[in-house]
Amino acid sequence: MPQIKLLNIVGARPQIIKASAISRAIRKYFSDQISEVLVHTGQHYDKEMSQVFFDELEIHKPDYNLGVGSAGHGRQTSMMITGIEEVLLKEKPDCVLLYGDTNSSLAGALAASKLHFPVIHIEAGLRSFNKSMPEELNRIMSDHASTLLFAPTNDAFKNLMAEGFRPENSPPYTIDNPKIYLTGDIMYDNSMFFAGLAEKKRSFYLEGLSVEREKFILVTIHRDNNTDDIKRLEDIMSSLKRLAVEKNIILVMPLHPRTVLSLKTKLDALYRELIDSDFIKIIPPVSFLEMILLEKNCRMIITDSGGVQKESHFFKKPCIVLRKETEWIELVHNGTARLVDADPGRIEEEFIRLLQNHSELEYPGFYGNGQAAEFILKEILLMFEKV
Ligand code: UD1
Ligand code: UDP
């Protein structure tokens, strides 16, 4: 029986990690039915934003690296579309798999749908209802160019229905007759799979960082409105610096390069104070296994990342979200994630509240059974009638 050729498009850090869940499930269950071509747009390119994940998560080297790099939205996305189009015409895959909501996802959706390759969107239906976020536009457009849409949560599934997607559609599925599914989250698959490995392979990591279990807070910041709006960045960083001292707790901050760049170029004095503080550890981006160790062992998490918010839930840690709204709204309804925007008053209030013992907080299983990737691949095979 001929194999299905599936073309994966990745570009940003979280997509490389997500693709590893699909690759692992293909290797384990479907290697005789599915072959993979991996396209890396090159949106992220620093070693610690890209290569480290290929090495550590045992993802095979990209078949194509478009080397697009950093640029404004239009230029970056258009270079990706051009490169992806060339690969599609050469490879002629049966379908194209996209992850999440980055410019790489959007470029893949546009290039593939216009050439009539079926698009499969993983993490479909997530909405912040804030179209000033570039990611919100990417999500909506990617979903509406897709043939199979895999929603990770109930709310994401409902959002798709509200936009006119019909769960009752029957095969054959096309861009005009798309199919929506509720799957659970492939990042839950990944976090569970790699959690044990992280303890085994990197058990010395926290010691090397000189932090003790439950005695530090993990902080990540990279969202464009927090890094590029200097007032927001200053409000966030100054509040965190002050609270760390007042509450005598260490903040571990693996910072995205764009955050460090903004701090260095626009808030240099504050950046030096942060570097000099005994309570702040600004470190380069870490590997996924290191990140899991930080998440598992911290006291709580402060972040504007979509992925890290969810991982806070997987590892049962309260989370302060440095945003006005979130696509992972179930966390907020559950009371374990608190939206504080960049408001110093709200940051302080939730910092103090969540530092207290919170044994009453519960972390229900919103994100499936850890086998979302297997489910997705089965449905793809069904579309091509291979199971
Ligand atoms: C992108 C995604 C965002 C996702 C994030 C994951 C878009 C519009 N945004 O944001 O949804 O949450 O990835 O991390 O696609 N840079 C480096 N080295 C790198 C990569 C980036 O120094 O390897 C710096 C450059 O200064 C660049 C800036 O980071 O201009 C922003 O990079 P970019 O990929 O445009 O957006 P992210 O903020 O990473
Ligand atoms: N991550 C990582 N190292 C870091 C920061 C994040 O491995 O230094 C992982 C994190 O665990 C999560 C993913 O990258 O799985 C989230 O990526 P990011 O926060 O960049 O993007 P978002 O999820 O907001 O799109």
Side-chain angles (χ1 to χ4, degrees):
M1 193 192 296
Q3 287 188 317
I4 298 291
K5 189 195 273 190
L6 190 158
L7 190 126
N8 269 297
I9 296 181
V10 301
R13 161 171 70 189
Q15 296 172 316
I16 304 169
I17 303 172
K18 286 166 198 170
S20 80
I22 291 292
S23 280
R24 195 170 59 251
I26 291 177
R27 284 199 302 272
K28 187 160 178 200
Y29 303 110
F30 305 107
S31 55
D32 52 341
Q33 291 146 289
I34 300 177
S35 70
E36 267 191 285
V37 177
L38 185 62
V39 180
H40 188 339
T41 62
Q43 178 171 353
H44 287 175
Y45 43 85
D46 289 346
K47 183 169 188 298
E48 62 269 24
M49 296 293 288
S50 175
Q51 187 60 44
V52 67
F53 303 106
F54 287 92
D55 297 342
E56 184 176 68
L57 309 182
E58 292 179 12
I59 311 168
H60 76 85
K61 198 169 162 280
D63 299 285
Y64 298 87
N65 190 326
L66 306 179
V68 163
S70 302
H73 287 279
R75 189 174 162 72
Q76 188 185 51
T77 311
S78 63
M79 287 192 295
M80 291 173 185
I81 293 174
T82 307
I84 293 169
E85 196 169 75
E86 280 169 20
V87 175
L88 288 171
L89 291 172
K90 182 166 168 227
E91 290 288 341
K92 297 189 177 41
D94 293 293
C95 57
V96 174
L97 199 51
L98 310 175
Y99 305 87
D101 54 16
T102 72
N103 287 349
S104 298
S105 327
L106 175 65
L110 291 178
S113 60
K114 293 211 169 178
L115 291 175
H116 311 302
F117 291 99
V119 172
I120 295 168
H121 191 200
I122 294 186
E123 281 196 352
L126 293 167
R127 298 290 182 266
S128 64
F129 301 100
N130 171 5
K131 286 187 187 149
S132 70
M133 287 180 83
E135 292 84 357
E136 184 75 350
L137 299 173
N138 293 345
R139 288 176 195 127
I140 294 170
M141 291 192 256
S142 300
D143 281 342
H144 287 266
S146 292
T147 292
L148 300 188
L149 296 91
F150 292 101
T153 61
N154 279 320
D155 279 293
F157 190 80
K158 283 189 209 150
N159 291 337
L160 290 173
M161 288 202 287
E163 287 177 21
F165 288 94
R166 293 152 27 117
E168 64 275 17
N169 283 359
S170 53
Y173 301 123
T174 64
I175 189 170
D176 290 315
N177 180 44
K179 175 68 178 169
I180 60 174
Y181 301 87
L182 175 61
T183 55
D185 182 11
I186 57 168
M187 280 309 295
Y188 182 61
D189 301 11
N190 258 344
S191 294
M192 294 308 102
F193 180 82
F194 288 117
L197 210 64
E199 294 285 0
K200 244 187 253 164
K201 282 197 166 176
R202 309 284 291 133
S203 56
F204 52 87
Y205 178 66
L206 294 182
E207 224 173 278
L209 208 57
S210 305
V211 288
E212 289 175 53
R213 283 166 205 261
E214 297 285 331
K215 294 208 171 136
F216 67 95
I217 295 173
L218 173 64
V219 181
T220 79
I221 298 162
H222 77 279
R223 201 58 61 192
D224 66 347
N225 67 335
N226 284 338
T227 58
D228 299 3
D229 179 333
I230 295 312
K231 165 100 173 57
R232 287 180 68 94
L233 187 59
E234 185 171 14
D235 281 349
I236 291 169
M237 287 300 189
S238 304
S239 304
L240 294 180
K241 181 168 81 65
R242 180 175 58 75
L243 287 163
V245 177
E246 276 176 26
K247 298 293 159 196
N248 189 23
I249 186 149
I250 289 184
L251 308 187
V252 176
M253 299 191 180
L255 288 186
H256 188 295
R258 82 179 295 163
T259 318
V260 174
L261 187 66
S262 275
L263 284 169
K264 277 187 181 162
T265 52
K266 296 171 197 152
L267 291 169
D268 189 44
L270 176 59
Y271 182 58
R272 278 170 221 242
E273 286 171 27
L274 292 167
I275 296 281
D276 289 342
S277 166
D278 291 339
F279 293 93
I280 310 276
K281 284 180 189 289
I282 292 185
I283 56 175
V286 297
S287 78
F288 187 54
L289 295 187
E290 290 164 351
M291 191 64 181
I292 286 181
L293 285 175
L294 290 170
E295 291 169 341
K296 264 183 95 172
N297 291 294
C298 67
R299 181 85 169 267
M300 69 173 175
I301 293 180
I302 302 178
T303 190
D304 59 11
S305 156
V308 178
Q309 275 175 66
K310 254 179 313 155
E311 287 159 17
S312 74
H313 191 81
F314 303 159
F315 296 113
K316 302 188 168 41
K317 304 291 171 174
C319 184
I320 294 177
V321 181
L322 299 162
R323 287 178 51 190
K324 243 200 289 272
E325 76 289 298
T326 178
E327 317 67 68
W328 306 101
I329 192 67
E330 59 285 343
L331 299 175
V332 176
H333 293 152
N334 191 49
T336 40
R338 309 282 184 150
L339 296 170
V340 299
D341 202 3
D343 175 347
R346 288 283 298 132
I347 294 174
E348 174 167 354
E349 190 183 342
E350 294 299 350
F351 192 106
I352 293 169
R353 187 209 303 255
L354 293 181
L355 254 193
Q356 288 155 13
N357 177 21
H358 273 297
S359 45
E360 84 281 7
L361 292 177
E362 286 179 14
Y363 296 85
F366 296 132
Y367 300 104
N369 60 4
Q371 285 165 356
E374 188 187 343
F375 173 87
I376 288 168
L377 291 167
K378 270 195 190 143
E379 292 304 321
I380 294 174
L381 285 167
L382 269 178
M383 181 165 83
F384 294 100
E385 295 180 343
K386 298 281 185 201
V387 285

